[in-house]
Amino acid sequence: MSNIFGWSVHGDGKKIAPGAVVAPEERLNWPRTIGIGMQHVVAMFGATLLVPTLTGFPVNTTLLFSGIGTILFLAITRNRLPSYLGSSFAFIAPLSASQAQGIGVQAGAVLCTGLALVVIGLIVKAAGKRVIDAVMPPAVTGAIVALIGLNLAPNAAANFSSQPLVAAVTLVVILLATVAGRGMVSRLSILIGVVVGWAFAALTGNLDPSAGESIREAAWVGLPQFHAPEFNLSAIAVALPVLVVLIAENVGHVKAVSEMTNRDLDDLAGDALFADGLATSLAGGFGGSGTTTYAENIGVMAATRVYSTAAYFVAALTAIALAFIPKFGALIFTIPTGVLGGATLVLYGLIGMLGVRIWMDNKVNFNNPVNLTAAAVALIAGIGNLTLDVFGVTLEGIAWGSVGIIIGYPIMKRLYDHVGEGQNAKY
């Protein structure tokens, strides 16, 4: 087994024998390892940059802590769990909701969510994954994930309507790349759609007139913008339900890598949650967006059969280097609202459908009135963005829907079982 900065060379370092794989603690020679690391950069790039673009965070800062967070993750999981920590889409809704309050308030919400995930990671490490299954069964988890995505539907529609032609071109390109593209084209469909949409907007005069000037004035080399966190209870309450998504993504990542490498990695679930929480806290502490394990990079591993964590170190160091190019961040912020509208129409829907997928994968029985009514109320609270003031604190739909189903589901289930009608139902 390698240490954190050392890997044994696989074979001759140049080729992978038929049926063989490069294990996490192994690597190919450095030129090939760097090449695979660059593929990981391409895979994470579009999604990682899209989150700060939508929520107003500094792109370069988010990229910096994405790279730093990845290195922390690999160190904490002791080089056993290859992963890239990119920007989590689940943060888009709460960060968009608090965007008018400034980056400091948004960063404070990210920091607190990260610290909560650190605590959960420690609990899971001590008690095992069963504690998650007990508190958040699939009926609850699916509802929370779905309402987080669907809560943003009005924002996507508004952005689309602002520049309908640009948005439509972006949307069509994304859909075509997704369903007709193969390999990396399909995995990079969002990035491809955004680039084509941006080019179309430029050709049709739909870019902000000051965009070119902003890019020209930005320096080639400079420090990322850091922002101190500010703590607002309403913003924090709206962000905390994202924990459900982060837990599901991290635990799912452990399972996926276990299958791909034919190793039992369940003992790393607590470490993965702790590491992602630490990375998210660190990002929030300096004005970067929250992180999560990236499914996009699993695709690269599946295609290359290279699970080496050395390639992820290369990707992380590349992201850190790009973070010190302010001109790059200025370019990202020239993306017009129409392009964002076309992209988010897909992205927000995909987050919502991820919740449905959780229900389907776990065969949640909606003939059972507990599952049906609990999910129904939570979804409407989230989609309708139910907003109420409690003791001077404003809580919005994501918070009400998530807290409501976490508290209400076990109570409803106990009542239903108590009357004897639910004893034999499947949950």
Side-chain angles (χ1 to χ4, degrees):
M1 181 65 67
S2 65
N3 59 50
I4 191 59
F5 293 117
W7 298 265
S8 59
V9 178
H10 176 88
D12 63 1
K14 297 179 180 180
K15 296 179 181 179
I16 306 173
V21 299
V22 179
E25 68 275 8
E26 297 179 323
R27 65 170 176 84
L28 297 174
N29 62 24
W30 280 114
R32 285 170 173 77
T33 297
I34 291 171
I36 293 169
M38 293 297 102
Q39 289 186 67
H40 282 301
V41 172
V42 172
M44 69 83 181
F45 206 66
T48 293
L49 297 186
L50 189 60
V51 175
T53 302
L54 294 173
T55 57
F57 271 73
V59 171
N60 296 61
T61 308
T62 295
L63 198 56
L64 172 64
F65 287 101
S66 166
I68 293 174
T70 297
I71 293 175
L72 281 174
F73 187 95
L74 296 173
I76 291 170
T77 58
R78 303 178 297 286
N79 262 0
R80 294 175 58 203
L81 189 62
S83 178
Y84 190 89
L85 291 191
S87 302
S88 171
F89 282 1
F91 277 102
I92 294 175
L95 295 183
S96 296
S98 59
Q99 190 167 352
Q101 296 172 284
I103 292 177
V105 170
Q106 293 173 298
V110 171
L111 172 59
C112 290
T113 304
L115 291 176
L117 189 59
V118 165
V119 173
I120 292 171
L122 293 173
I123 293 172
V124 171
K125 189 170 177 62
K129 192 174 90 58
R130 63 183 180 276
V131 69
I132 296 175
D133 299 330
V135 176
M136 292 185 300
V140 173
T141 304
I144 294 175
V145 174
L147 71 86
I148 286 174
L150 299 178
N151 173 265
L152 283 166
N155 290 0
N159 285 338
F160 196 102
S161 300
S162 67
Q163 294 176 315
L165 184 58
V166 172
V169 169
T170 304
L171 175 61
V172 168
V173 171
I174 291 172
L175 295 178
L176 287 175
T178 300
V179 301
R182 294 294 180 268
M184 291 299 290
V185 171
S186 178
R187 285 193 289 272
L188 296 177
S189 60
I190 301 293
L191 176 60
I192 293 170
V194 168
V195 170
V196 173
W198 187 95
F200 180 79
L203 291 173
T204 55
N206 284 291
L207 283 185
D208 188 324
S210 63
E213 183 179 348
S214 299
I215 296 172
R216 284 192 298 272
E217 290 181 352
W220 277 104
V221 179
L223 291 173
Q225 296 177 354
F226 297 132
H227 296 270
E230 301 172 22
F231 301 102
N232 178 285
L233 191 55
S234 298
I236 293 169
V238 172
L240 284 176
V242 170
L243 286 168
V244 176
V245 184
L246 298 181
I247 292 169
E249 289 176 337
N250 277 275
V251 174
H253 185 82
V254 172
K255 291 292 186 183
V257 176
S258 293
E259 286 188 27
M260 297 173 74
T261 59
N262 196 27
R263 296 180 176 185
D264 183 1
L265 300 175
D266 281 355
D267 63 303
L268 290 177
D271 288 325
L273 293 168
F274 175 84
D276 189 19
L278 187 62
T280 295
S281 303
L282 186 62
F286 289 90
S289 185
T291 62
T292 189
T293 51
Y294 254 33
E296 288 89 338
N297 296 91
I298 288 181
V300 175
M301 289 193 290
T304 62
R305 294 181 297 160
V306 177
Y307 307 113
S308 171
T309 54
Y312 282 97
F313 270 97
V314 170
L317 292 173
T318 301
I320 291 171
L322 287 173
F324 291 90
I325 305 176
K327 195 175 288 290
F328 174 72
L331 174 64
I332 297 299
F333 275 108
T334 65
I335 299 174
T337 56
V339 172
L340 297 180
T344 55
L345 207 65
V346 178
L347 285 172
Y348 297 166
L350 288 176
I351 298 172
M353 292 307 295
L354 176 59
V356 177
R357 179 180 166 185
I358 290 172
W359 287 333
M360 293 177 64
D361 289 348
N362 291 276
K363 298 180 173 58
V364 175
N365 178 18
F366 282 108
N367 288 320
N368 183 290
V370 177
N371 295 337
L372 183 64
T373 54
V377 173
L379 284 175
I380 293 303
I383 296 170
N385 199 30
L386 175 66
T387 303
L388 300 171
D389 288 337
V390 179
F391 303 115
V393 178
T394 301
L395 299 178
E396 298 188 352
I398 293 176
W400 286 117
S402 301
V403 173
I405 193 169
I406 288 174
I407 295 175
Y409 182 86
I411 296 173
M412 294 171 64
K413 183 178 182 297
R414 183 176 293 274
L415 288 173
Y416 185 66
D417 288 346
H418 182 68
V419 298
E421 296 177 6
Q423 295 293 341
N424 298 317
K426 293 180 180 179
Y427 293 97

